[in-house]
Amino acid sequence: MVDVLAHESELLGLVKYLDFAEFEDTLKTFLKECKIKGKPLSKSTCGSLRDPKSLKFQRDLLAAFDSGDQKVFFRLWEEHIPRPIRDGDSLAQKLEFYLHIHFAIYLLKHSAGRPDKEDLDERISYFKTFLETKGAALSQTTEFLPFYALPFVPNPMAHPSFKELFQDSWTSELKLKLEKFLALMFKASNTPKLLTLYHRSAFVAHIHFKVCNVYNKNVLQQLHQQLVEAERRSMTYLKRYNRIQADYHNLIGVTAELVDSLEATVSGKMITPEYLQSVCVRLFSNQMRQSLAHSVDFTRPGTASTMLRASLAPVKLKDVPLLPSLDYEKLKKDLILGSDRLKAFLLQALRWRLTTSHPGEQRETVLQAYISNDLLDCHSHSQRSVLQLLQSKSEVVRQYTARLINAFASLAEGRRYLAQSTKVLRMLEERLKEEDKDVITRENVLGALQKFSLRRPLQTAMIQDGLIFWLIDILKEPDCLSDYTLEYSVALLMNLCLRSAGKNMCAKVAGLVLKVLSDLLGHENHEIQPYVNGALYSILSIPSIREEARAMGMEDILRCFIKEGNAEMIRQIEFIIKQLNAEELLDGVLESDDDEDEDDEEDHDTMEADLDKDELIQPQLGELSGEKLLTTEYLGIMTNTGKARRRGTAGVQWGGPEPLRRPVTPGGHRTGYPA
């Protein structure tokens, strides 16, 4: 009771909330009763909430905003807005950033003639100082990243990225945000103690939640980092495997050469010991060659033949059996006439046959069986075909058809099969532009088209169909796209831009293309950077695009990214800047790229793990799926035979500092085998 009496005046002061909530009659009754009972209640606790000083400050601040008086505005701002709010509140930080932009470009917007150069330079210098000090905190935010190039652009009013800033609507919206912020701020400063106590307890609970959230976020980041590291190691091992495989092919070639030499000796031709030594040494690893060349005497009888037997000794590898043959006539009939659920399970099982089969003869045999039986009806002229499942009303069937086509397109022979007619390409383009419900369907359609772009005839068709314009349109909002869609869209755009026809298409909308690509340079997904750099480097070979890029201050924008990029990124951007500043060329010079070989196909296959991610259907009890469904219901006569694969010249890995200048797929580029 003593504690209550000691703080009675303060406790009664909590009734100030009645004034805040405008309960005027209730407040009068309360004050009257306090007076009758002689309760202590200071006048200050029940004073009015209207503060003339705060109202004057708000009027002066808004007047300075309208008149462009930068010094007065920020002096009032720093005097009346508490530092904890300015430095700690994200809303206040973002608002202050935009306010600095407002005052930096004020003279450009409101000067009748040419603005005073000294005053303009002072404002730009003030804005630069802000960006390098307090404004640096937002440099990693995508929303604000383009504005860090603003002080370096000679004519911001002509730059597409800053066009919105010079519209009256932008200034009006900014002023409205400022007024709302001030209203909230000063309403909070006059908040009654009762409400403050409530907010404080809620704030403590929020902080506790935030701390837990930050901890969980850190754990997720660590797990993500471990995943990235595991993927990096996986790629390293895959590259080692590819190198070992290449050495294996070299070994076969040398062995064949050695056998030919021995056969020549039978017919009486002389083989020198030095020749045998050079051939046999090539059979061994780098670590053994030097010691072998010095320690083995190839002039001794029997040495070469012993070495040859050792080199030709069969290596015991686990035999990989061929998969059973299927009744493709029955399969295709059920794919066309069966229920949607059966179609989905069949499409899934056929895809799994490709994606899970062992690379080499087993997978090649599966693919050859699909192609020889025209599984997708690429050569069929019937109105009802397996390809028509891309237009199915069932979302699952559409998605699983797209996945199967993408699996075909992941293999060189599969691409060759699909590319024999433009019918498949046209259907994929149509589905790509219409599909807006299922993200995975669009991903797989896009993935297939991107792999199609390795073949020159299909590149030409896609360029003629205006696919470049569609890609530019969706890349205007990259944050709305999945990582797969973003990466394959940019890679497809780059492949099409490598052709003269593609560059000329880009020249029709040069400003938009350059803006989209320059925005993508700063995107957080670093996997797309090689493709963005390659596309930029390629289109800047067109004089009209170079001229547009110079007008929008592209070099200054590129140099901003040099400061934050890694060594490889910096080298590539330097090549782009060199291309940007190249001497003028005739528009017809670049048509020579259309006189090259028929396609840029590579000989290496890349089967992505994404093809089998997030399966939509699962078999119920007693329902068949996968290989069991195929071998139980659709087993055919054994016709599988191994077929020699047509091999072209293996692609050379692009390892230089220059931007990409040959068509690639993201999967092939990561594993070190671009075309």
Side-chain angles (χ1 to χ4, degrees):
M1 186 65 182
V2 176
D3 291 340
V4 173
L5 291 173
H7 300 283
E8 187 173 20
S9 176
E10 188 178 349
L11 291 170
L12 292 173
L14 296 176
V15 182
K16 182 180 180 180
Y17 178 77
L18 293 173
D19 188 14
F20 179 80
E22 298 181 353
F23 288 99
E24 296 176 2
D25 293 338
T26 307
L27 182 61
K28 288 177 182 177
T29 304
F30 175 76
L31 294 173
K32 183 179 179 181
E33 190 170 355
C34 284
K35 189 175 181 180
I36 293 170
K37 294 185 176 182
K39 296 291 184 182
L41 187 65
S42 62
K43 292 182 180 180
S44 61
T45 57
C46 299
S48 174
L49 292 173
R50 296 176 180 84
D51 183 2
K53 290 183 180 180
S54 67
L55 292 176
K56 183 178 184 304
F57 157 69
Q58 293 180 57
R59 284 196 300 270
D60 293 345
L61 195 72
L62 292 172
F65 178 88
D66 291 331
S67 64
D69 195 336
Q70 180 173 264
K71 294 179 181 178
V72 172
F73 183 91
F74 285 110
R75 177 176 57 78
L76 292 170
W77 178 267
E78 292 176 4
E79 286 177 0
H80 292 82
I81 307 297
R83 178 178 288 274
I85 292 178
R86 283 187 281 124
D87 296 342
D89 184 77
S90 60
L91 182 64
Q93 287 178 325
K94 291 181 179 180
L95 178 61
E96 186 174 356
F97 194 101
Y98 283 120
L99 288 169
H100 275 277
I101 294 176
H102 166 73
F103 287 106
I105 65 173
Y106 184 85
L107 290 180
L108 294 173
K109 292 179 66 175
H110 295 88
S111 296
R114 222 169 152 176
D116 182 69
K117 188 175 185 306
E118 186 177 346
D119 194 3
L120 180 61
D121 290 344
E122 183 182 349
R123 288 172 180 265
I124 295 296
S125 176
Y126 191 82
F127 183 48
K128 277 184 183 177
T129 305
F130 169 75
L131 292 178
E132 292 168 359
T133 54
K134 191 176 179 182
L138 296 173
S139 62
Q140 301 302 318
T141 308
T142 308
E143 178 185 353
F144 296 100
L145 190 58
F147 300 122
Y148 285 81
L150 179 60
F152 306 98
V153 176
N155 186 9
M157 297 181 73
H159 197 287
S161 298
F162 309 129
K163 188 176 180 181
E164 184 184 3
L165 302 177
F166 294 91
Q167 297 177 0
D168 293 337
S169 58
W170 183 84
T171 307
S172 302
E173 289 175 8
L174 180 60
K175 185 176 180 180
L176 185 62
K177 289 179 182 177
L178 176 61
E179 290 172 343
K180 287 182 178 179
F181 174 77
L182 294 174
L184 285 171
M185 240 252 347
F186 287 100
K187 184 177 180 182
S189 66
N190 290 313
T191 302
K193 194 168 184 179
L194 183 64
L195 197 57
T196 303
L197 291 172
Y198 170 76
H199 282 159
R200 191 174 297 165
S201 63
F203 177 74
V204 171
H206 173 70
I207 290 297
H208 175 72
F209 171 77
K210 201 167 183 180
V211 169
C212 293
N213 196 31
V214 168
Y215 172 75
N216 292 335
K217 189 176 180 180
N218 289 337
V219 172
L220 285 174
Q221 286 178 343
Q222 290 175 1
L223 291 174
H224 178 70
Q225 190 63 34
Q226 291 174 8
L227 177 61
V228 170
E229 185 63 24
E231 289 178 345
R232 187 190 64 78
R233 288 198 302 269
S234 174
M235 290 300 103
T236 302
Y237 295 145
L238 187 58
K239 288 178 181 178
R240 289 179 184 173
Y241 164 75
N242 289 331
R243 283 198 296 270
I244 293 171
Q245 193 175 42
D247 289 341
Y248 166 73
H249 290 299
N250 290 336
L251 178 67
I252 296 298
V254 174
T255 305
E257 183 181 344
L258 202 55
V259 170
D260 290 341
S261 301
L262 290 175
E263 288 177 350
T265 60
V266 176
S267 60
K269 294 181 181 179
M270 180 63 68
I271 304 297
T272 65
E274 290 79 8
Y275 171 76
L276 285 177
Q277 179 178 4
S278 66
V279 172
C280 290
V281 168
R282 286 161 59 194
L283 292 170
F284 293 87
S285 63
N286 290 329
Q287 291 84 355
M288 293 177 62
R289 287 177 183 172
Q290 189 173 3
S291 61
L292 183 66
H294 290 89
S295 61
V296 179
D297 182 6
F298 284 87
T299 60
R300 290 176 57 190
T303 302
S305 59
T306 304
M307 297 287 294
L308 177 63
R309 291 192 190 96
S311 67
L312 295 178
V315 181
K316 293 184 178 179
L317 296 174
K318 183 179 179 181
D319 290 335
V320 179
L322 299 180
L323 295 173
S325 295
L326 303 175
D327 185 345
Y328 287 95
E329 186 177 345
K330 183 182 178 184
L331 255 174
K332 290 164 72 173
K333 182 179 178 182
D334 284 354
L335 280 171
I336 295 171
L337 303 176
S339 66
D340 285 341
R341 187 166 179 82
L342 176 59
K343 291 176 184 176
F345 274 121
L346 287 174
L347 290 166
Q348 182 190 61
L350 291 166
R351 165 167 48 89
W352 283 354
R353 261 209 165 199
L354 271 181
T355 58
T356 62
S357 57
H358 194 278
E361 186 179 8
Q362 189 185 67
R363 178 173 289 168
E364 290 171 10
T365 305
V366 170
L367 182 61
Q368 287 301 328
Y370 287 179
I371 293 172
S372 60
N373 289 281
D374 193 15
L375 178 63
L376 297 179
D377 286 334
C378 290
H379 305 297
S380 171
H381 299 288
S382 174
Q383 291 184 347
R384 303 187 71 176
S385 64
V386 175
L387 272 178
Q388 295 294 331
L389 295 179
L390 267 178
Q391 311 296 338
S392 172
K393 294 180 180 179
S394 167
E395 187 176 310
V396 181
V397 173
R398 287 200 312 273
Q399 182 188 126
Y400 278 31
T401 307
R403 287 185 190 236
L404 180 58
I405 293 174
N406 195 11
F408 265 88
S410 299
L411 305 171
E413 287 293 333
R415 287 192 289 276
R416 194 170 291 113
Y417 163 63
L418 295 172
Q420 291 175 3
S421 167
T422 57
K423 177 172 66 172
V424 182
L425 175 65
R426 301 285 185 257
M427 292 187 71
L428 288 172
E429 289 179 336
E430 183 181 348
R431 174 75 356 233
L432 181 68
K433 295 171 183 177
E434 291 180 359
E435 188 62 57
D436 55 358
K437 292 182 180 178
D438 190 346
V439 174
I440 295 181
T441 300
R442 190 167 76 165
E443 284 182 355
N444 280 275
V445 170
L446 183 62
L449 286 172
Q450 203 284 325
K451 293 157 191 168
F452 278 13
S453 69
L454 295 174
R455 304 188 65 82
R456 296 181 67 80
L458 296 181
Q459 287 175 3
T460 303
M462 284 188 266
I463 293 169
Q464 291 173 349
D465 293 343
L467 196 58
I468 285 178
F469 301 133
W470 183 89
L471 291 167
I472 290 296
D473 188 56
I474 66 160
L475 288 172
K476 286 192 289 189
E477 298 182 7
D479 293 335
C480 300
L481 306 176
S482 67
D483 287 342
Y484 187 98
T485 301
L486 177 61
E487 193 173 344
Y488 275 76
S489 297
V490 181
L492 174 56
L493 177 63
M494 185 201 77
N495 285 358
L496 299 183
C497 287
L498 295 174
R499 297 289 301 280
S500 294
K503 298 171 193 175
N504 292 328
M505 281 287 185
C506 291
K508 296 179 181 178
V509 286
L512 179 59
V513 174
L514 290 169
K515 181 184 182 304
V516 168
L517 290 176
S518 62
D519 288 344
L520 288 173
L521 279 172
H523 198 274
E524 59 187 8
N525 186 343
H526 299 299
E527 297 290 341
I528 67 173
Q529 287 180 352
Y531 316 124
V532 177
N533 294 342
L536 261 178
Y537 184 84
S538 180
I539 65 173
L540 285 174
S541 62
I542 299 291
S544 59
I545 298 180
R546 286 204 304 276
E547 185 178 344
E548 180 75 24
R550 290 167 187 160
M552 65 183 284
M554 176 62 76
E555 182 172 352
D556 293 325
I557 295 172
L558 290 169
R559 293 199 182 279
C560 288
F561 291 108
I562 284 182
K563 297 176 183 177
E564 312 223 348
N566 56 36
E568 184 179 354
M569 174 79 166
I570 291 171
R571 287 196 301 272
Q572 291 188 6
I573 289 181
E574 286 172 349
F575 272 97
I576 296 171
I577 293 174
K578 186 177 179 181
Q579 179 84 313
L580 175 64
N581 295 320
E583 295 180 2
E584 294 292 325
L585 301 172
L586 295 175
D587 284 318
V589 169
L590 298 162
E591 291 301 324
S592 60
D593 73 341
D594 294 327
D595 298 330
E596 296 174 5
D597 295 335
E598 181 183 336
D599 56 55
D600 294 306
E601 185 65 275
E602 91 285 6
D603 192 46
H604 299 278
D605 302 329
T606 305
M607 193 69 75
E608 307 147 3
D610 294 282
L611 290 168
D612 295 329
K613 73 174 184 180
D614 301 332
E615 297 286 357
L616 290 179
I617 56 172
Q618 299 294 336
Q620 298 175 355
L621 189 63
E623 199 171 22
L624 297 176
S625 68
E627 191 64 22
K628 194 169 184 181
L629 170 63
L630 295 177
T631 54
T632 302
E633 301 292 336
Y634 300 93
L635 194 62
I637 301 172
M638 178 59 73
T639 56
N640 282 339
T641 56
K643 184 175 179 180
R645 184 176 172 190
R646 194 189 83 172
R647 295 195 175 274
T649 305
V652 179
Q653 184 172 350
W654 189 262
E658 299 182 40
L660 292 167
R661 289 189 284 174
R662 299 284 289 171
V664 298
T665 63
H669 181 59
R670 278 193 294 267
T671 54
Y673 287 109

